[in-house]
Amino acid sequence: MSSARHQPPATLRAVTFDVGWTFLSVRPSVGHVYARVARDWTGQTFDPRRLDRRFQAAWRRCADFDHSRAGWMALVDATFAGLVTEPPSRTFFGELYRRFGQPDVWRVDPHLPEVLTRLRSHGLRLGIVSNWDLRLRPLLRALDLERHFDVVIISAEVGFSKPSPAIFLRAADMLGLAPQEILHVGDDPRQDYQGARHAGFQAVRLHRGLRRPEPRRIGSLRHLLPWIRRAGFLGTRGL
């Protein structure tokens, strides 16, 4: 008796990664960067933790954020609404936009280099599938990360965003692989996990703080390799 439930997993030939909050995060936080730039322009002192909360609230109100410069401008204005006399779009937004394109604002997950090296050592191709603006590619170069990936798919460059299957299928096409041969790793349950699955990819969600890996969730990038091994994606090639 056979069923889809008992079929062996597809052979894994590539792994794609989300970027923001999967292997890159703002240091020390969005609110700290906002507070520094705003203080330099206005002379006011801002609480970074309060700005973090306001940014997160504004972000949650953005449905299908398009990562355009205009979109970021509206988000920053919403974060500072009522805190400054003139909205950042008329004052310091340009400096903020520039700052987030600089490598010193970003922290690379310390587990990433080893993870990429071990995946590559088993013949797996590597890619990025990210909702981001045109600052991402030069940022990856400045962080010496772009060279580690075979393909880099950025929503602002291709014209469609996660969770649309189209962005994932573009990655599959550029890798020359069937979707089921690719595992996508990301932190967002809708954009990364559901989007990848709808495109036919394998998927695992990065849920930081999760103590033990679950069937479709890991708590750290360092858990990715053991998770792939347990899932049986590499057959007898174990990690």
Side-chain angles (χ1 to χ4, degrees), residues 63-125:
D64 298 319
F65 186 68
D66 65 3
H67 288 80
S68 66
R69 185 183 177 97
W72 283 117
M73 189 180 296
L75 185 61
V76 173
D77 278 355
T79 301
F80 282 92
L83 301 182
V84 290
T85 304
E86 288 191 272
S89 55
R90 298 180 186 174
T91 53
F92 56 83
F93 171 77
E95 176 60 17
L96 266 183
Y97 194 80
R98 186 193 70 80
R99 285 294 294 132
F100 279 94
Q102 301 301 308
D104 61 295
V105 171
W106 298 93
R107 173 185 179 272
V108 181
D109 188 296
H111 302 293
L112 182 70
E114 181 183 0
V115 169
L116 297 182
T117 298
R118 293 187 64 187
L119 291 174
R120 183 74 76 184
S121 73
H122 287 271
L124 294 172
R125 304 192 71 195

Side-chain angles (χ1 to χ4, degrees), residues 146-190:
E146 186 184 34
R147 64 186 178 88
H148 295 288
F149 297 94
D150 299 294
V151 300
V152 177
I153 310 297
I154 303 169
S155 61
E157 293 182 351
V158 299
F160 27 76
S161 305
K162 297 179 294 185
S164 168
I167 193 169
F168 292 100
L169 295 176
R170 174 67 66 88
D173 182 61
M174 292 189 67
L175 287 165
L177 298 173
Q180 65 268 23
E181 296 176 312
I182 307 170
L183 171 69
H184 183 68
V185 184
D187 69 302
D188 191 283
R190 176 172 172 262

Side-chain angles (χ1 to χ4, degrees), residues 131-234:
N131 288 353
W132 207 288
D133 54 64
L134 296 177
R135 292 172 294 176
L136 180 57
R137 196 174 293 274
L139 177 62
L140 292 172
R141 289 174 186 152
L143 292 166
D144 196 30
L145 292 174
E146 186 184 34
R147 64 186 178 88
H148 295 288
F149 297 94
D150 299 294
V151 300
V152 177
I153 310 297
I154 303 169
S155 61
E157 293 182 351
V158 299
F160 27 76
S161 305
K162 297 179 294 185
S164 168
I167 193 169
F168 292 100
L169 295 176
R170 174 67 66 88
D173 182 61
M174 292 189 67
L175 287 165
L177 298 173
Q180 65 268 23
E181 296 176 312
I182 307 170
L183 171 69
H184 183 68
V185 184
D187 69 302
D188 191 283
R190 176 172 172 262
Q191 294 183 358
D192 291 304
Y193 183 79
Q194 294 178 16
R197 295 295 291 161
H198 288 161
F201 279 43
Q202 310 296 332
V204 62
R205 180 188 168 200
L206 177 63
H207 187 155
R208 295 196 181 277
L210 191 69
R211 292 190 175 183
R212 294 183 179 180
E214 297 179 356
R216 289 294 175 179
R217 295 196 303 174
I218 56 176
S220 166
L221 285 184
R222 67 186 176 87
H223 298 155
L224 178 61
L225 302 170
W227 183 89
I228 290 174
R229 182 179 62 245
R230 284 193 298 272
F233 283 121
L234 294 180

